[in-house]
Amino acid sequence: MKNKTHLRTLIFLIIFLLTFSHLSFSNNISLERVEPMFWWAGMQNPDLQLLVHGENISQAEVSINYEGVKLKKVNKVENPNYLFLDIVVSKNAKPGIFEIKFKKNNKLVETYKYELRERNTKTDINKGFDASDAIYLLMPDRFFNGNPANDNIKLMPDKSDRKNPDGRHGGDIQGIINHVDYIENLGFTAVWMNPLLENNMPKYSYHGYAISDFYKIDKRLGTNSDYVNLVDSCHKHNLKVIMDMVFNHCGIESYFIKDLPMKDWIHQFPEFTRSNFHAPTVIDTHASDIDKDVMTNGWFDTNMADFNQKNKFLANYLIQNSIWWIEYSGIDGIRMDTYPYPDKDMMAEWTMRVFAEYPNFNIVGETWVQKVPFAAYWQKDSKISGNYNSMLPSLTDFPLYSAINKAFNEKEGWTEGMARLYYVLAQDFLYPNPNNLLVFVDNHDLDRAFSSLNKDIKKYKMAMAFLLTVRGIPQIYYGTEILMDGLSSQGHGFIRKDFPGGWKNDKVNAFTAKGRSALQNEAFDYLQNILTWRKNQAVISRGELKHFIPEDGVYVYFRYIENKTVMIILNNNEEADKDLNTKRFAECMKDYKSGFDIISHKQIDNLKNIKVAAKSAMIIELK
Ligand code: CA
C-alpha cells in the first residue's frame, strides 16, 4: 500500500516535471528575434520599442550600455516568451553598435548586437506623390519572372504553379527591375506594387495580403536588399515607389500568431467570425454595436488574423514597422490596405508619427465605399468627421470609379451616362482636398477596365482621357495598357493574369510593340501619348476644375491655372458626330482664339463650333 502511494507520487512528479519543466524549472533562455532588427540615430521621435521574442526571455535581466541610449522600461507581458523594451535614443546618440545583454542570475545568456544606423542621406527619396504623378499598379507575382531560381523555396509550401489561377506564378523583384524603363517609357511617374512582404501560407499566397513576416521580403520575390535596389532603380528612372502596407490583419503563419504575446494581440471570438465588410458602419450614427464590432474586429478571412490595434504594443510594432521600411528603402509613399477596418485612433496616431518624420511623404488609404460622404469622412481635416481627424491625406475614389464604369456604357439620363461623372464631382465640396484622391478605372480587386467597358476601344479611350484629366492622382493597373481583360466574378486569378512576355516560354511578348496586336498598340499609344503630355502639365496637376451640366450626351469641363486653360470634351453619343456650339462655355473660353487637341494632334482654328466624333474624347489646349 505504502509502496503504491510512493509509486503514484513518483509518477505524478515525473508527469509534473515533464509538463511544466519548460516554465518553472528550466534555465533555458533563448533569443530568437529582436524587431525592429536595427534602427537609426537622429530620428525625430527618440522613443523606440523593441519586441524581443525567445523562449523564456522574460526571465532575463536586460541591460544596455551606450552613450545617448537609455533602457527606460522592460515590459513583461502574458507570454513569458516576449519582452517589450522601451528605449530612448537621444539626439546625441551616434550611429554605431551596442549590445543588449540578457542575463539570468548574473550570468550572461544572450547578447544582441543592436545597430543604430546613420540615416538615409540619398536626396531622391521619401518625396511623396501627388496629382502631378501617374501611378502604375502591378502585382509582383504576375508581372515578370526575372529569376526562375527563386520560384520555389525550400520550407515554403506554396510552390510555383502557373496553371493554377490562385497559385504562385514566379514573378519577382528582378522582373520589375528589368522593366522599370518600360513603365517610365509608358509615361508613368510612380509605381505601386501589391505587398512584397513574406506570405508563407500553405496556399493562395501570391497576392501578398496575408503577411507572415513584417520585416522580410518574401524569398520568392527577392530579398530585403533586392527591394532597396528596386527602389533605387525606380528612382533612377524617375519613378516614385509606393509601398503597400496592411495593418488590419496578418497571415496566421506569423510567429506572433502561433505564439501570441498576449491574448488581445488579435481579436478572438468563440467561433470564427468574419468581418461584415460594411465599412460605413464605423461612421454611421445609427449603426448597431454588433455591426460595428463585427466590421472592425471580425477576421478578413480564415487565414488572416485580425489585429487589435488598441493594444499599445501592437500599435507601436506596426507604426515602427512602417517607419522602418520608409527609412530603410527610401520609398516615397504608402498605400494602406483596408483603411476603415483597423482602430481609427491608432491609424491617426500612425499618420501623425509618419509625417512627423517625413513631412513630404504621402499616404493613400484604401477606402472602399460607394458614397462620397463615407469616403470624405476619412480625409485629413474632414469637415464631416466631428472631433475625429484621421490625418490621412489621400483616399481611393471608389465613388468616381463606379461612375466611370457605368457612364460610358449607358444611354444619357438625368443621372445616367455623363451625368454620373458630373454628379460625383459635384460632391467634391465634401472633401477637404479632392485633388489628393486616387482615381482609377480598375485595380487588383476589380473587373479589368477593358472588360467593364464591354471591350470597346472607344469607351476605353474616353475613360482614359477622363481619368488623366480629372482632378486627383490617376492610377492605372498593369496590363490595362494592352487591354488585358477579366472579371472578378471568374475569380481573382482572372483579373491578375500574367503579363504576356513576362515568362521565358511565353508565345507573345507584349512588352514590345511587335508583340502587341494592332488594337493593343492603339490602346498603348493612346495612353502613352496622354501620359507623356500630362507629365509637365501644372494645369492638370494643380489647376482648378470647372464643369458644365452634360447636354445631349456631351460633357465638357475645363482645367485652368493662371496662364493656361485646357478644355476636355467627352461625347458619349454612339450615333452621330457633334457640331458642338461653345457659346455656353464662354466664361472659360472668352480669352482664347484657337486650340490644339493633344489626342489627334490637330489644330482647331474655330473655337465657336467644334466637331467632336461620336463616342470620343478631346483634350484641347486653348491658345
Ligand atoms: Ca521568380
Side-chain angles (χ1 to χ4, degrees):
M1 196 68 188
K2 222 180 173 187
N3 278 349
K4 246 187 179 173
T5 312
H6 275 231
L7 192 64
R8 222 184 272 160
T9 310
L10 190 68
I11 290 169
F12 179 79
L13 199 68
I14 291 168
I15 291 172
F16 182 85
L17 280 171
L18 285 173
T19 314
F20 294 102
S21 60
H22 70 288
L23 293 179
S24 322
F25 302 110
S26 159
N27 285 320
N28 195 9
I29 293 180
S30 70
L31 178 66
E32 277 148 42
R33 280 175 190 257
V34 175
E35 288 175 342
M37 303 87 87
F38 53 84
W39 200 246
W40 292 269
M43 300 296 281
Q44 290 295 320
N45 181 359
D47 294 325
L48 173 64
Q49 186 168 72
L50 301 184
L51 177 156
V52 182
H53 184 225
E55 204 182 346
N56 296 319
I57 198 72
S58 68
Q59 291 179 22
E61 299 126 40
V62 188
S63 64
I64 292 172
N65 185 4
Y66 189 77
E67 203 185 324
V69 175
K70 197 178 130 202
L71 177 60
K72 198 166 84 178
K73 193 178 175 198
V74 177
N75 300 280
K76 294 186 184 188
V77 294
E78 285 161 32
N79 184 337
N81 297 336
Y82 287 89
L83 282 176
F84 290 83
L85 309 181
D86 292 344
I87 288 174
V88 181
V89 183
S90 68
K91 287 267 177 290
N92 63 354
K94 294 209 166 56
I97 292 171
F98 59 83
E99 291 185 335
I100 306 176
K101 290 182 172 161
F102 298 86
K103 286 184 185 167
K104 175 132 194 223
N105 301 329
N106 272 326
K107 215 182 108 201
L108 189 67
V109 283
E110 292 278 5
T111 306
Y112 186 89
K113 288 190 186 333
Y114 203 87
E115 187 181 2
L116 270 188
R117 295 191 171 184
E118 212 169 310
R119 288 198 63 180
N120 199 334
T121 51
K122 289 175 197 156
T123 51
D124 58 348
I125 56 165
N126 308 144
K127 276 184 163 166
F129 58 91
D130 60 27
S132 67
D133 290 303
I135 301 167
Y136 191 73
L137 161 63
L138 67 85
M139 183 156 277
D141 181 62
R142 303 294 165 91
F143 189 60
F144 191 96
N145 189 359
N147 177 13
N150 65 12
D151 290 2
N152 293 298
I153 299 284
K154 245 189 198 171
L155 302 178
M156 298 189 94
D158 196 8
K159 303 295 181 195
S160 172
D161 179 7
R162 277 189 82 195
K163 291 200 187 85
N164 177 4
D166 293 333
R168 297 196 76 96
H169 292 187
D172 48 36
I173 288 176
Q174 190 56 53
I176 306 168
I177 291 177
N178 295 351
H179 289 84
V180 286
D181 56 346
Y182 169 83
I183 301 167
E184 181 192 24
N185 176 47
L186 198 40
F188 290 95
T189 63
V191 195
W192 154 26
M193 288 156 269
N194 296 117
L196 294 133
L197 296 180
E198 184 195 272
N199 274 232
N200 195 11
M201 307 300 286
K203 58 178 184 179
Y204 193 53
S205 69
Y206 76 91
H207 51 75
Y209 289 96
I211 296 167
S212 60
D213 190 328
F214 280 74
Y215 281 97
K216 195 158 99 199
I217 295 291
D218 196 292
K219 282 184 184 162
R220 293 158 294 193
L221 299 169
T223 63
N224 283 9
S225 53
D226 290 340
Y227 185 69
V228 175
N229 290 339
L230 170 62
V231 175
D232 288 348
S233 307
C234 286
H235 287 164
K236 280 195 192 93
H237 287 264
N238 304 306
L239 295 167
K240 296 169 177 176
V241 179
I242 300 165
M243 189 171 182
D244 204 331
M245 293 190 179
V246 192
F247 281 8
N248 181 62
H249 51 259
C250 71
I252 54 172
E253 297 299 320
S254 311
Y255 74 92
F256 54 44
I257 299 301
K258 291 175 168 170
D259 189 26
L260 283 171
M262 47 211 115
K263 279 187 222 79
D264 73 354
W265 188 257
I266 56 173
H267 292 115
Q268 303 193 61
F269 295 81
E271 56 196 40
F272 174 75
T273 303
R274 195 184 291 277
S275 172
N276 55 35
F277 305 116
H278 284 274
T281 55
V282 180
I283 55 186
D284 171 7
T285 50
H286 304 302
S288 62
D289 294 342
I290 187 172
D291 288 347
K292 280 197 267 194
D293 181 49
V294 172
M295 158 59 201
T296 52
N297 302 346
W299 285 29
F300 215 76
D301 205 347
T302 47
N303 59 357
M304 295 174 179
D306 193 75
F307 279 139
N308 172 24
Q309 300 83 8
K310 280 190 162 58
N311 179 315
K312 294 291 172 205
F313 297 108
L314 174 76
N316 259 326
Y317 181 87
L318 294 174
I319 292 168
Q320 289 179 164
N321 177 258
S322 91
I323 291 172
W324 189 90
W325 279 108
I326 300 170
E327 188 68 23
Y328 173 67
S329 67
I331 51 169
D332 302 285
I334 291 171
R335 179 267 185 187
M336 177 53 70
D337 191 50
T338 54
Y339 191 82
Y341 289 70
D343 179 68
K344 64 182 191 176
D345 294 319
M346 176 271 179
M347 294 305 272
E349 187 194 337
W350 167 61
T351 43
M352 281 187 282
R353 281 171 61 177
V354 168
F355 285 102
E357 301 287 350
Y358 309 97
N360 300 323
F361 209 66
N362 198 7
I363 302 176
V364 54
E366 182 201 22
T367 46
W368 191 341
V369 288
Q370 307 308 328
K371 301 286 178 192
V372 173
F374 296 148
Y377 177 96
W378 295 107
Q379 195 171 34
K380 184 186 175 191
D381 303 330
S382 173
K383 302 158 210 170
I384 55 170
S385 62
N387 293 327
Y388 178 71
N389 191 346
S390 70
M391 302 303 285
L392 174 74
S394 177
L395 315 169
T396 51
D397 193 347
F398 272 89
L400 194 61
Y401 151 76
S402 301
I404 298 170
N405 275 273
K406 292 189 183 109
F408 300 102
N409 292 328
E410 282 177 341
K411 286 258 177 291
E412 295 304 300
W414 190 262
T415 53
E416 292 82 37
M418 291 295 93
R420 281 197 193 273
L421 307 178
Y422 176 83
Y423 276 119
V424 171
L425 296 178
Q427 296 169 70
D428 272 359
F429 67 90
L430 287 167
Y431 292 111
N433 186 358
N435 208 28
N436 213 349
L437 300 175
L438 197 77
V439 293
F440 51 98
V441 290
D442 60 2
N443 69 28
H444 60 289
D445 286 326
L446 305 167
D447 291 344
R448 283 278 186 180
F450 194 52
S451 292
S452 44
L453 295 162
N454 297 333
K455 301 196 183 179
D456 181 333
I457 185 81
K458 288 183 176 169
K459 292 176 183 174
Y460 169 91
K461 287 181 176 177
M462 292 181 78
M464 291 302 151
F466 176 71
L467 187 72
L468 297 174
T469 53
V470 73
R471 94 286 187 267
I473 311 161
Q475 167 253 297
I476 288 174
Y477 186 37
Y478 82 99
T480 296
E481 72 273 24
I482 54 158
L483 307 175
M484 277 170 73
D485 57 11
L487 297 168
S488 65
S489 58
Q490 299 167 281
H492 273 163
F494 291 86
I495 52 174
R496 304 164 180 175
K497 289 184 220 164
D498 299 342
F499 194 99
W503 279 253
K504 219 176 178 181
N505 299 317
D506 283 358
K507 288 192 188 82
V508 280
N509 179 8
F511 284 107
T512 66
K514 259 196 209 157
R516 296 189 282 265
S517 70
L519 194 67
Q520 283 176 324
N521 271 323
E522 190 180 334
F524 185 100
D525 295 345
Y526 184 87
L527 203 55
Q528 186 183 43
N529 173 45
I530 306 179
L531 279 167
T532 307
W533 168 80
R534 192 187 184 284
K535 271 186 186 176
N536 302 308
Q537 296 296 333
V539 67
I540 301 295
S541 59
R542 46 184 187 85
E544 300 289 330
L545 189 155
K546 183 172 279 192
H547 61 173
F548 292 78
I549 302 163
E551 271 184 12
D552 303 327
V554 181
Y555 182 33
V556 174
Y557 57 95
F558 293 82
R559 301 298 309 275
Y560 61 99
I561 200 169
E562 312 84 56
N563 53 358
K564 187 162 185 178
T565 298
V566 174
M567 178 188 199
I568 296 99
I569 308 172
L570 299 174
N571 178 8
N572 205 26
N573 293 291
E574 298 273 1
E575 303 83 17
D577 296 355
K578 277 270 162 195
D579 211 4
L580 184 70
N581 184 319
T582 62
K583 201 173 157 194
R584 190 160 66 102
F585 317 119
E587 65 190 275
C588 294
M589 300 178 77
K590 59 181 189 303
D591 298 333
Y592 297 99
K593 300 269 176 293
S594 65
F596 181 76
D597 176 16
I598 69 108
I599 293 177
S600 64
H601 295 287
K602 278 187 184 139
Q603 177 80 14
I604 298 162
D605 292 322
N606 178 10
L607 283 182
K608 290 204 170 96
N609 281 286
I610 301 176
K611 282 201 192 325
V612 197
K615 216 70 190 173
S616 78
M618 296 176 90
I619 301 174
I620 303 168
E621 289 181 321
L622 297 181
K623 309 278 177 191

